[in-house]
Amino acid sequence: MASSFIGKILSYLISIKTLLKEKDAQFALIQDEWKMVKEIDDYAKSKKSTHASSSRVNDSFGEQNLRTNDYYQPPPMRARKERQESPKEVRVELPHFYGKENVETYLDWEMKVEQLFAYHRVSEERKVPLTTLSFQGNAMYWWTVLERERRLHKDPPITYWNDLRGALRRRHIPPYYNRKSIDKLQVLHQKTLSVEEYWQKMVLYMKRTGINEENHTTISRFLSGLKLEIRNKVELLPYRDLNDLIQFSIKVEKQILTKQSSQKQSSYSVSYDKDEFQKRGRTYKRNISRTFPKPIQIRAYLTHSS
């Protein structure tokens, strides 16, 4: 009787212990689930408020728990695709080119086109289409024939600006033009030009002939073509580079012109005073002759009265 009672008590205690273990397990499971929900909530809030670099979960235990628990699957996260917006292409309007047989016209047009390309930062892929759209008249017909001939000969199309510029130069610049421009540059002198006009003309010839020389060579070329009165004064000034030399030359030229104009005004005033003095002297003599009669007239009057 007592043994059976003790057995019942033991079995009851064992069942209570088992129940407590199950409750502890359930409580631990609920606690884990609560931590996991809290981590997910914190993670979602951090994704909304912080940068993408701080989007991962701060607690490593929560991450491990999310990976190890098979019964829970987190919702799929959509990867944000960063939009790679291509830069907007700037509208560039090139000056029209009509393909006339004039070397200076073509070179001026080419220089302007390159300036526009550099200013708008036009990509290499757009240079040839933009240039060919500016062709008008003879230039447009020439480009159409050139494309047809290249297709017939199975040559690759022209896609780069340097190739198109070379074809245009072969078409519009004769072979002797470079030598002729060099000769003009060698004999260039200021003469009746101003210093600024003389320098611009020199730059133009150097640009058209493609001459790239050192700074001291250009200084010697510039000095050799200056007027003698300007060169003699500028050579004594402490210029550092070509730009200083040009600025000093312009200042000396202005001083010379100012001095010449003042001398002209002074000489004009002296000649004016002399002429005015002569005019006044003649007028004075004429007035005297009218006021006092001549001696011959007086004698005639006395004889007549006697």
Side-chain angles (χ1 to χ4, degrees):
M1 185 73 180
S3 60
S4 62
F5 179 75
I6 293 171
K8 288 180 180 180
I9 292 174
L10 290 174
S11 61
Y12 179 73
L13 291 174
I14 292 171
S15 61
I16 291 174
K17 187 177 181 179
T18 304
L19 182 62
L20 290 174
K21 288 183 178 180
E22 291 177 356
K23 292 294 184 180
D24 292 338
Q26 291 178 1
F27 180 76
L29 183 61
I30 292 171
Q31 189 176 6
D32 291 340
E33 289 180 353
W34 172 253
K35 288 182 179 180
M36 185 169 53
V37 171
K38 188 177 180 181
E39 292 293 337
I40 294 172
D41 188 25
D42 294 340
Y43 178 75
K45 290 180 180 179
S46 64
K47 287 293 289 183
K48 293 180 181 179
S49 61
T50 61
H51 194 264
S53 60
S54 62
S55 62
R56 58 181 179 273
V57 182
N58 296 326
D59 193 355
S60 61
F61 176 76
E63 292 181 351
Q64 184 177 3
N65 194 12
L66 288 173
R67 290 194 299 267
T68 54
N69 291 328
D70 296 334
Y71 63 89
Y72 177 78
Q73 291 183 357
M77 299 177 61
R78 297 180 180 178
R80 295 182 180 179
K81 297 181 180 179
E82 297 181 355
R83 296 181 180 179
Q84 297 179 353
E85 297 182 355
S86 58
K88 294 182 180 179
E89 295 182 350
V90 182
R91 183 178 178 181
V92 183
E93 293 184 0
L94 300 181
H96 295 308
F97 179 65
Y98 295 90
K100 295 181 180 180
E101 299 295 334
N102 189 340
V103 181
E104 283 74 16
T105 302
Y106 165 73
L107 290 174
D108 292 341
W109 172 83
E110 179 187 302
M111 190 182 303
K112 185 65 177 179
V113 168
E114 290 183 340
Q115 289 176 354
L116 289 172
F117 285 162
Y119 177 76
H120 294 288
R121 298 180 181 178
V122 180
S123 60
E124 191 65 32
E125 294 79 9
R126 296 182 61 203
K127 287 182 180 180
V128 173
L130 285 174
T131 305
T132 54
L133 285 175
S134 67
F135 289 165
Q136 302 290 329
N138 294 333
M140 182 175 60
Y141 302 145
W142 167 79
W143 174 247
T144 305
V145 172
L146 180 63
E147 281 188 315
R148 187 184 301 117
E149 289 179 352
R150 294 182 72 88
R151 284 196 298 268
L152 290 175
H153 294 88
K154 296 181 180 181
D155 294 332
I158 296 177
T159 56
Y160 294 100
W161 164 245
N162 289 336
D163 297 336
L164 178 58
R165 182 178 56 186
L168 286 167
R169 289 198 168 205
R170 288 191 296 271
R171 170 71 175 82
H172 296 283
I173 300 178
Y176 61 84
Y177 180 80
N178 193 17
R179 184 179 68 254
K180 187 177 179 181
S181 298
I182 293 176
D183 294 340
K184 288 182 179 180
L185 181 62
Q186 296 295 337
V187 298
L188 178 63
H189 289 82
Q190 184 181 356
K191 295 182 180 179
T192 58
L193 300 175
S194 65
V195 174
E196 186 68 25
E197 292 172 347
Y198 165 64
W199 168 242
Q200 289 178 358
K201 203 165 188 178
M202 179 181 292
V203 171
L204 180 63
Y205 285 157
M206 292 176 65
K207 179 71 175 176
R208 288 179 175 176
T209 54
I211 293 178
N212 293 321
E213 58 188 9
E214 295 182 357
N215 196 16
H216 63 86
T217 306
T218 308
I219 289 174
S220 300
R221 186 189 300 277
F222 179 78
L223 283 172
S224 63
L226 279 176
K227 291 180 180 179
L228 185 61
E229 53 183 351
I230 299 177
R231 184 176 59 192
N232 291 337
K233 293 184 177 181
V234 169
E235 286 179 341
L236 301 176
L237 298 176
Y239 58 86
R240 294 172 298 179
D241 52 11
L242 181 60
N243 188 31
D244 286 350
L245 176 61
I246 296 170
Q247 297 301 323
F248 283 142
S249 302
I250 293 174
K251 289 181 179 180
V252 170
E253 183 184 38
K254 288 181 179 179
Q255 291 175 359
I256 293 173
L257 292 176
T258 304
K259 185 177 180 180
Q260 290 177 355
S261 62
S262 62
Q263 289 177 354
K264 286 181 180 179
Q265 289 179 358
S266 61
S267 62
Y268 174 75
S269 62
V270 170
S271 61
Y272 175 78
D273 294 340
K274 186 177 180 181
D275 294 341
E276 187 68 19
F277 178 76
Q278 291 177 356
K279 288 181 181 178
R280 289 181 180 180
R282 287 195 297 268
T283 306
Y284 179 73
K285 289 180 181 180
R286 192 180 300 113
N287 293 334
I288 290 176
S289 62
R290 289 178 181 178
T291 305
F292 300 99
K294 294 180 179 180
I296 299 174
Q297 294 177 352
I298 295 172
R299 291 174 186 174
Y301 175 74
L302 292 175
T303 305
H304 180 71
S305 60
S306 60

